[in-house]
Amino acid sequence: MSWKNRGGGESHSRSLMSRQLTLFLCAGCFFAGMLFTDRLWIEPEAKELSRPTGTEDEQIKVLADGCDTRLKDVRRDSKDIIREVSKTHNAVQTLDKTISSLEMELAAARAMQDSILTGSPISDDLMLPEPIKKRKYLMVIGVNTAFSSRKRRDSVRATWMPQGDKLRKLEEEKGIVMRFVIGHGATSGGILDRAIEAEDRKHGDFLRLEHIEGYLELSAKTKTYFTTAVALWDADFYVKVDDDVHVNIATLGATLAKHRLNPRVYIGCMKSGPVLAHKGVRYHEPEHWKFGEEGNKYFRHATGQLYAISKDLATYISINQNVLHKYVNEDVSLGSWFIGLDVEHIDDRRLCCGTPPDCEWKAQAGNICVASFDWSCSGICRSADRIKEVHKRCGEGEDALWSASF
C-alpha cells in the first residue's frame, strides 16, 4: 500500500510540472509569434505603402512635365514635317512652271531660227522676248494642212482667210491670228520642205512645227501645234480647223468671246462614235481593248474638223506634252487629255453645219454657221472646187468681220 501511494504521489507531481511547462511554452510561442508577425507587417508598409514626400512629389511632377513636353515636341515635329512637305511641293510646282516657261521660250527660239534659215518673214512676236510681249489676242486659228494640199490652201486664201496686209490688220485690230500649220518632211530640207518655204515667202501665212508630217502622226502634230502656239501668242483661245472646212471668222470670234470668263473650256461639236476594233476599216482603233467590250463607244469629244480650247488647256497640253497619250485619232486624243480635269465641254452645233442647203437655210434664218462641211467626207467634198460655192451661199460677208467687236 505504501509502495502504491508513493508511486501515485510522484505521478501527480510530474503531471503538474508537465502542465506548467506546457503553459509556459505556449505563452512563449504566442509572444514569439506576435513579434515575428509584427515584423513582417511593418516591412511591406514601410516599403510599398509609404506616402510620398514633398521631394518625391516634385520628382513625379518633373517626370510628368517631361512626358508632356516630349508629347508636345512630337506634335510640333509632325507639324514641321507637314510644313516642309508643303514647301517642297510648292517648290516642285514652281520648278515645273519654270521648266514649262523655258520650254515655251525654246519653242519660240526654234521657230525664229527656222524663219531665219528659210528666209521667211519673222513676225514681231518672235523678235520680242517673252517678258516684253504685251499684246493679248482673242484667238489663234491654226489651219491644219499637208504637203499635198496646195490647192486646198489656195481655195481657203481665196474665200474666208484674209491675205497680205489684211491678215496683219486682222491681228492688230481684231486680235485674231491665222496660220496654216505644217511640220517637216521625213527628209530635212527635201523637195517638200522647199516647196512650203517658197509658198511661205509668197504669202507669209505658215506656222512651221518641229514635227515630221504623216497621217498617223496627227495626234503628235496637235500637241506640237498647241505647244508652239501658246508659246508664240498670248490668246484667250486656240483653234484647230482642217483646210477643207469653211469658216465664218466673225461668227467664230463672237461665239468664243462669250466664254472668255471660263478659264477651262473645250468647244466643238461633241460626239461619241463607236470604237472600231476591226482592222482595215477607216478610223480603226488599235487600242480598242482599252474602251471595254466590243461595240462600246468613245467618251464625249469634239469632232476633229474644228474645235477650240482656252489658254489654260493649251498651256496644260504644253506642260504635259511628254506624258499625254496619243491615240491614232487626234480628236479622240484631245478629248482623252481633258478627262479627269475640271473642263467645261461646250457642244455647239453651229461648229458643224452641213454644206448648202443646210448652212444656207440657217443663214437665211439669221443663225449663221461657224463652220460648214460634209460629214460623209469629214470635210467639204472636193473642197478645192466647191468651197467658193459654200462661201458664196453661207458666208457671213467681209463687212461682218471688219465691223465686229469682240
Side-chain angles (χ1 to χ4, degrees):
M1 292 289 296
S2 59
W3 180 76
K4 291 182 179 178
N5 289 337
R6 187 169 53 248
E10 290 176 358
S11 175
H12 175 75
S13 175
R14 280 196 296 270
S15 176
L16 180 61
M17 291 279 296
S18 176
R19 193 176 300 115
Q20 291 176 348
L21 182 59
T22 300
L23 291 174
F24 178 76
L25 289 174
C26 287
C29 290
F30 174 77
F31 288 114
M34 290 292 291
L35 179 63
F36 182 74
T37 304
D38 187 55
R39 288 181 60 84
L40 289 178
W41 179 256
I42 292 174
E43 289 296 328
E45 184 179 13
K47 290 183 178 181
E48 297 180 9
L49 302 178
S50 60
R51 295 182 179 180
T53 63
T55 304
E56 292 172 341
D57 283 338
E58 293 177 0
Q59 292 176 347
I60 293 172
K61 185 177 181 180
V62 169
L63 289 174
D65 291 341
C67 291
D68 185 60
T69 302
R70 284 193 293 271
L71 183 59
K72 290 180 179 178
D73 289 340
V74 170
R75 291 174 180 172
R76 193 179 297 111
D77 291 343
S78 299
K79 291 180 180 179
D80 291 340
I81 292 172
I82 294 173
R83 193 178 298 110
E84 290 299 323
V85 170
S86 178
K87 288 180 180 179
T88 303
H89 180 67
N90 292 335
V92 170
Q93 287 184 326
T94 302
L95 182 60
D96 286 341
K97 292 179 180 178
T98 303
I99 293 173
S100 173
S101 177
L102 292 174
E103 288 176 344
M104 292 179 183
E105 292 178 7
L106 178 60
R110 285 175 175 171
M112 184 169 65
Q113 183 183 33
D114 289 341
S115 298
I116 294 173
L117 292 176
T118 59
S120 58
I122 302 174
S123 69
D124 293 337
D125 297 291
L126 288 178
M127 298 183 68
L128 292 174
E130 182 72 22
I132 301 177
K133 284 193 283 188
K134 301 290 185 180
R135 182 61 198 266
K136 181 74 173 181
Y137 296 92
L138 170 65
M139 59 182 173
V140 175
I141 302 176
V143 184
N144 183 48
T145 191
F147 290 115
S148 60
S149 300
R150 175 62 188 265
K151 290 184 177 180
R152 285 186 181 181
R153 290 192 293 273
D154 286 340
S155 68
V156 169
R157 292 183 179 115
T159 53
W160 60 269
M161 183 176 181
Q163 288 297 291
D165 293 337
K166 288 185 178 181
L167 189 63
R168 307 305 169 195
K169 182 181 177 182
L170 186 64
E171 296 180 15
E172 296 170 1
E173 295 186 5
K174 303 301 179 182
I176 299 175
V177 178
M178 298 182 64
R179 297 288 189 275
F180 286 107
V181 179
I182 196 167
H184 296 272
T187 303
S188 180
I191 187 173
L192 297 177
D193 285 333
R194 292 200 300 271
I196 294 296
E197 291 162 7
E199 188 178 344
D200 194 26
R201 283 193 294 269
K202 179 179 180 181
H203 297 282
D205 54 5
F206 277 92
L207 172 61
R208 302 299 301 276
L209 304 178
E210 288 294 328
H211 168 78
I212 304 300
E213 285 291 324
Y215 180 76
L216 296 179
E217 296 298 325
L218 286 178
S219 293
K221 184 177 181 179
T222 300
K223 280 201 299 184
T224 306
Y225 159 61
F226 285 122
T227 298
T228 306
V230 79
L232 297 179
W233 298 286
D234 181 12
D236 292 320
F237 299 96
Y238 297 85
V239 181
K240 177 263 176 182
V241 59
D242 290 338
D243 61 5
D244 56 355
V245 173
H246 179 268
V247 179
N248 285 317
I249 303 173
T251 307
L252 174 60
T255 300
L256 297 184
K258 296 177 182 179
H259 303 286
R260 263 178 165 158
L261 297 180
N262 190 333
R264 293 175 299 278
V265 63
Y266 173 34
I267 306 171
C269 288
M270 299 295 164
K271 66 176 184 177
S272 180
V275 180
L276 303 179
H278 300 288
K279 294 182 179 181
V281 299
R282 191 179 185 187
Y283 305 128
H284 165 64
E285 178 56 72
E287 298 180 89
H288 58 86
W289 62 273
K290 289 185 177 180
F291 298 92
E293 300 299 327
E294 185 173 350
N296 283 355
K297 292 185 176 182
Y298 287 110
F299 41 79
R300 288 283 173 183
H301 61 279
T303 186
Q305 285 80 5
L306 186 149
Y307 49 73
I309 62 175
S310 58
K311 180 181 178 180
D312 280 8
L313 295 184
T315 303
Y316 170 81
I317 292 173
S318 174
I319 293 173
N320 298 283
Q321 57 179 309
N322 294 326
V323 296
L324 293 176
H325 183 70
K326 301 184 296 293
Y327 290 99
V328 68
N329 299 308
E330 55 98 8
D331 53 352
V332 173
S333 295
L334 185 73
S336 72
W337 299 338
F338 302 147
I339 291 179
L341 301 183
D342 186 14
V343 175
E344 182 177 358
H345 290 58
I346 304 295
D347 182 19
D348 193 332
R349 309 314 290 184
R350 292 181 303 159
L351 274 66
C352 55
C353 295
T355 55
D358 180 51
C359 58
E360 186 177 21
W361 290 342
K362 292 176 180 176
Q364 292 173 354
N367 188 24
I368 297 177
C369 293
V370 172
S372 302
F373 58 88
D374 298 309
W375 282 103
S376 59
C377 297
S378 298
I380 298 175
C381 299
R382 297 179 290 106
S383 65
D385 300 323
R386 294 184 57 233
I387 196 169
K388 288 184 179 180
E389 177 194 357
V390 176
H391 183 66
K392 180 180 179 179
R393 298 172 64 179
C394 301
E396 61 195 354
E398 187 175 358
D399 292 341
L401 176 59
W402 301 113
S403 62
S405 176
F406 306 112

